[in-house]
Amino acid sequence: MEFLTQEDKDLYYMGLALREAQKAFEEDEVPVGAILVQDNRVIAKGHNQVEMLQDATAHAEMLALTSAFSYFNSWRIPNLELYCTLEPCTMCAGAIIASRVKRLVYAAPDIRLGACGSFVDLMSEKHPMHQVEIHGGVLEEESAFLLKTFFQQKRAKCPQKNS
């Protein structure tokens, strides 16, 4: 991995995050996956489990961060890169900043809840202690396709309302 370009690494790790998103899809969860990487090694991963856990905070990013906190026995996890298949929401963006993630790479924008510029932009604010490097659009089409497929299937299962 050390001889690959940053772009190649981003594609590889986002591919792993997409595998996590596929797990969520198969569990009838909104298909979002996240991977945390340090020194070219996967430290933690997660996929949405909101429905299974009946917990609005059980987003892929939050679950991956929680796993990393356990791994390092610390709430500070500097020098980690987070790969996520969907632009983080405000809750997840706040957790990313607070935990001092070094770099965030996301696939698809989220115009409904995205906190990296699509809806609001928490990441552009100058933080007094820490700044997260942001890179969006990596494997965006693949992530968007999985999300669109999921929601199309959900809508197809809903009975049509007759007026």
Side-chain angles (χ1 to χ4, degrees):
M1 278 286 195
E2 42 210 57
F3 300 110
L4 297 176
T5 66
Q6 186 63 58
E7 182 179 351
D8 289 336
K9 290 178 187 179
D10 287 351
L11 291 169
Y12 174 76
Y13 290 118
M14 190 59 74
L16 296 180
L18 279 167
R19 285 189 202 166
E20 287 297 309
Q22 183 64 41
K23 288 180 188 176
F25 184 94
E26 291 166 5
E27 295 170 5
D28 204 27
E29 297 276 357
V30 175
V32 179
I35 300 287
L36 274 163
V37 177
Q38 183 183 59
D39 298 327
N40 300 317
R41 201 171 102 226
V42 174
I43 300 299
K45 55 189 173 180
H47 59 275
N48 274 5
Q49 296 183 23
V50 171
E51 297 298 331
M52 182 182 80
L53 299 175
Q54 289 298 292
D55 179 350
T57 69
H59 291 191
E61 305 95 307
M62 298 298 285
L63 296 173
L65 287 168
T66 298
S67 180
F69 300 148
S70 270
Y71 179 82
F72 288 108
N73 196 29
S74 175
W75 61 267
R76 289 185 187 100
I77 50 174
N79 300 319
L80 264 71
E81 296 174 297
L82 174 62
Y83 291 84
C84 188
T85 61
L86 185 64
E87 177 183 1
C89 69
T90 55
M91 172 186 65
C92 293
I96 290 164
I97 293 167
S99 60
R100 300 201 172 96
V101 167
K102 175 183 172 184
R103 184 167 182 261
L104 166 67
V105 181
Y106 68 88
D110 184 354
I111 60 169
R112 193 175 63 89
L113 292 173
C116 300
S118 294
F119 174 62
V120 296
D121 196 351
L122 293 182
M123 299 299 195
S124 69
E125 295 296 319
K126 179 95 172 118
H127 189 272
M129 307 295 281
H130 176 70
Q131 197 67 33
V132 180
E133 179 187 333
I134 309 290
H135 184 65
V138 176
L139 297 181
E140 178 179 344
E141 289 179 18
E142 291 84 343
S143 178
F145 177 79
L146 189 60
L147 287 157
K148 286 176 188 172
T149 302
F150 176 81
F151 287 111
Q152 285 170 348
Q153 288 179 5
K154 282 288 190 196
R155 283 190 292 277
K157 290 178 184 176
C158 291
Q160 295 295 321
K161 292 185 178 182
N162 295 324
S163 303

